[in-house]
Amino acid sequence: MGNRFPARERFADGAQFIDGRLRPGTSGRTHAVVDPATGEELLTYELAGAADVDAAVAAALAAYPGWAGTTPGERSDALHRFAAVLADRATEFAEAESAQCGKPIKLSTEFDVPGTVDNAAFFAGAARHLEGASAGEYSGDHTSYVRREPIGVIGSIAPWNYPLQMAAWKILPAVAAGNTIVLKPSELTPFTSLMFAQAAQEAGIPDGVINIVNGAGADAGERLVGHPDVAMTSFTGSTAVGRRVAEIATATVKRLHLELGGKAPFLVFDDADLEAAVQGAVAGSLINTGQDCTAATRAYVQRPLYDAFVSAVAALMETVRLGDPFAPSTDMGPLISHAHRDRVAGIVDRARGYARVVTGGSAPDSDGLHSDGLHGNGLGSDDPRGDAPEGAHVARARLAGGAYYRPTLVVDAAQDSEIVQSEIFGPVLVVLPFDSDDEGIRLANDTPYGLAASVWSRDVYRTGRATREIKAGCVWVNDHIPIISEMPHGGYKSSGYGKDMSAYSFEEYTQVKHVMYDNTAAVRKDWHRTIFGDRL
């Protein structure tokens, strides 16, 4: 158990990747990356400051003409090689992601890494299909066509919950379209973004095309967003920070893409498959310890199924195994930090004044954690033979220093309460009843957010209506969470605008240019009379 990733050796030269090499930051401040499962330090590195951002942007600006001038086929070939490098290093990426985030290794191995490899393979193909409108004589005397061109240097900021996938979502469409990029990941989780850039270099993508700066938002982040040589900003994070990013970006009139917070409704009609809905609710609310902007957070259940749904969800939540992220059977790891765990716990504790906690609502004691796949009070052990109870005690003691929080189910909350309206970003599901279909859809839409939602019913007309009327960028039917590279991801309302993934993301990362050719060879055009002379 514990750290399986040698971060100190890997990033001994620094945690900034600028113009093809690792280097230390120059802010004069350091940051310790902490294993959230044990509280142990993995790496202390020097944070990026304004000078590092300037250097990264300069490298990207210098690399831009050459990369933008490559053919779509050449960019496609490079991205195919990139996908192959990522696939070859899948285990290493999974271990790094679990070490810095506390993700269960089965989540990193089966979701984060293969999703990233698939994303790279998708954009390798999509790079060849940057198409505009077909050429035509729309005025009669001219031929018009549309070019799609790269924008320039992209400045992107990504969050800590899915560092590897967010690096892919930001970098791949940008470079596939011919842009260069500077990415600022969260300073809490720098490892896999740096490894991603190194893998791109190994695949033959030129130095300076992909640059990574790891620094604090107030320093490196704001400098990157406001940099005059950055042509576009793409930001994923909270709605509150997104507003600040928008303020800075609009001051320099740059393009802006925002993927912000979510509060996904999980709408269960009375004809739904109850067992499927219960399974989906627990999986959809607890994935990545609930630290997912599309996680199921508000379950609205039609009155005839409500009591059975609450009872079954509580029972299933209580079987979820918390423990060592590197144990193959661990279901749920810690939250990203103790500070974030305390924030989640604070929301739940305040809810006790107006709602009821059915299960969870606290950090587990050490006996509630496991290190070898045994649940609850079973003896866990670092010894693969499973016969060393003293080892189990030591292992659980180490995990007791982690930022764990039990799967939590809350009922009897009011629609306008904090726990229903605010993004919690933790393993907390609140369940509310509804009566009519109209009421269920109204409640589903009754938050400022609109990133994702799901609808559960056997009736195609009911689900069809709900998918039309729920205001969210993605609506699942009889499932919750799956994403695919070919389809777009982005929100409505306060969840932001613009799309990640899919060919639709090229709308964010390309400039559309209209080119118009005269076909007449006439010296004097008929429209000239509006400026001088009479009609010919």
Side-chain angles (χ1 to χ4, degrees):
M1 63 170 292
N3 178 27
R4 309 287 173 87
F5 180 72
R8 289 184 179 86
E9 293 80 4
R10 178 139 201 155
F11 303 117
D13 293 331
Q16 318 300 328
F17 188 82
I18 299 172
D19 203 17
R21 67 181 182 87
L22 290 172
R23 51 188 264 183
T26 61
S27 70
R29 295 188 296 117
T30 60
H31 178 79
V33 181
V34 173
D35 179 350
T38 63
E40 297 169 358
E41 182 185 309
L42 304 179
L43 176 74
T44 296
Y45 69 94
E46 296 170 86
L47 290 165
D52 304 298
V53 173
D54 291 348
V57 172
L61 192 63
Y64 174 71
W67 184 247
T70 58
T71 66
E74 289 169 334
R75 295 197 293 273
S76 176
D77 288 347
L79 289 172
H80 276 300
R81 295 192 301 270
F82 188 15
V85 173
L86 294 172
D88 286 345
R89 295 186 176 174
T91 298
E92 184 181 8
F93 272 99
E95 290 174 350
E97 196 78 335
S98 287
Q100 67 182 353
C101 299
K103 293 175 185 282
I105 193 68
K106 65 181 180 181
L107 179 64
S108 296
T109 301
E110 299 176 26
F111 186 78
D112 296 62
V113 174
T116 300
V117 174
D118 184 73
N119 220 232
F122 169 80
F123 279 106
R128 290 180 177 266
H129 298 284
L130 285 167
E131 297 175 348
S134 61
E137 286 68 51
Y138 299 100
S139 77
D141 291 337
H142 304 82
T143 296
S144 289
Y145 68 88
V146 169
R147 290 175 55 87
R148 281 197 179 274
E149 299 178 348
I151 297 172
V153 176
I154 311 300
S156 291
I157 299 176
W160 47 257
N161 58 330
Y162 289 102
L164 177 59
Q165 287 195 310
M166 292 296 99
W169 288 15
K170 299 301 183 192
I171 291 170
L172 291 169
V175 301
N179 302 285
T180 56
I181 188 167
V182 178
L183 172 70
K184 193 201 88 65
S186 168
E187 64 273 23
L188 301 178
T189 53
F191 299 162
T192 47
S193 298
L194 292 168
M195 292 166 60
F196 193 79
Q198 290 174 313
Q201 182 185 47
E202 183 176 330
I205 294 176
D207 293 349
V209 172
I210 299 171
N211 305 274
I212 309 293
V213 292
N214 283 294
D219 301 325
E222 295 204 0
R223 177 62 178 171
L224 180 61
V225 173
H227 200 289
D229 290 331
V230 168
M232 173 194 164
T233 292
S234 178
F235 171 79
T236 295
S238 72
T239 298
V241 177
R243 293 190 184 100
R244 175 60 180 159
V245 169
E247 290 175 4
I248 299 169
T250 53
T252 53
V253 199
K254 53 171 56 77
R255 187 178 294 194
L256 183 61
H257 164 219
L258 298 173
E259 197 265 90
L260 306 176
K263 190 71 178 174
F266 188 99
L267 186 61
V268 183
F269 291 109
D270 58 12
D271 66 335
D273 182 323
L274 179 61
E275 183 180 4
V278 168
Q279 293 281 328
V282 174
S285 63
L286 301 185
I287 185 171
N288 202 33
T289 317
Q291 298 168 129
D292 187 312
C293 51
T294 64
T297 60
R298 300 177 288 140
Y300 297 99
V301 183
Q302 206 151 21
R303 194 81 61 176
L305 295 185
Y306 178 78
D307 290 338
F309 181 89
V310 169
S311 177
V313 166
L316 187 55
M317 278 187 169
E318 288 168 4
T319 71
V320 172
R321 297 164 296 189
L322 281 67
D324 177 13
F326 285 93
S329 59
T330 289
D331 297 320
M332 200 174 88
L335 292 156
I336 189 64
S337 67
H338 286 85
H340 185 57
R341 184 186 68 181
D342 291 347
R343 177 188 170 277
V344 170
I347 294 173
V348 174
D349 288 343
R350 288 191 294 276
R352 296 179 196 276
Y354 56 80
R356 177 166 62 94
V357 177
V358 178
T359 189
S362 65
D365 59 28
S366 61
D367 284 342
L369 300 169
H370 78 289
S371 62
D372 71 344
L374 296 177
H375 172 58
N377 293 326
L379 293 176
S381 174
D382 288 338
D383 189 326
R385 298 168 299 176
D387 59 359
E390 183 177 355
H393 174 75
V394 172
R396 288 199 297 266
R398 290 183 67 211
L399 291 170
Y404 289 91
Y405 195 77
R406 294 166 59 205
T408 299
L409 177 63
V410 177
V411 298
D412 300 336
Q415 174 65 17
D416 62 355
S417 62
E418 177 190 30
I419 204 162
V420 174
Q421 292 292 324
S422 298
E423 187 172 30
I424 301 172
F425 228 57
V428 180
L429 176 66
V430 58
V431 185
L432 298 89
F434 71 93
D435 292 304
S436 68
D437 289 16
D438 288 348
E439 182 189 16
I441 292 172
R442 178 181 62 79
L443 292 171
N445 284 327
D446 185 27
T447 71
Y449 300 105
L451 188 59
S454 65
V455 181
W456 299 74
S457 171
R458 293 182 173 97
D459 186 329
V460 67
Y461 298 103
R462 260 180 158 173
T463 58
R465 178 195 174 190
T467 59
R468 290 190 302 272
E469 296 185 11
I470 290 176
K471 305 303 181 187
C474 174
V475 181
W476 293 285
V477 178
N478 295 324
D479 207 347
H480 195 109
I481 285 297
I483 53 176
I484 51 176
S485 297
E486 291 82 358
M487 290 291 113
H489 175 84
Y492 284 34
K493 302 190 293 185
S494 291
S495 291
Y497 47 82
K499 300 299 179 185
D500 288 309
M501 299 201 301
S502 82
Y504 290 98
S505 65
F506 286 135
E507 299 296 329
E508 316 303 325
Y509 295 101
T510 57
Q511 192 77 266
V512 173
K513 177 186 289 183
H514 171 216
V515 178
M516 195 173 197
Y517 278 89
D518 169 55
N519 293 330
T520 67
V523 173
R524 186 175 180 185
K525 310 296 195 286
D526 187 51
W527 70 268
H528 290 180
R529 70 183 179 83
T530 63
I531 310 302
F532 56 87
D534 301 318
R535 181 181 292 275
L536 298 176

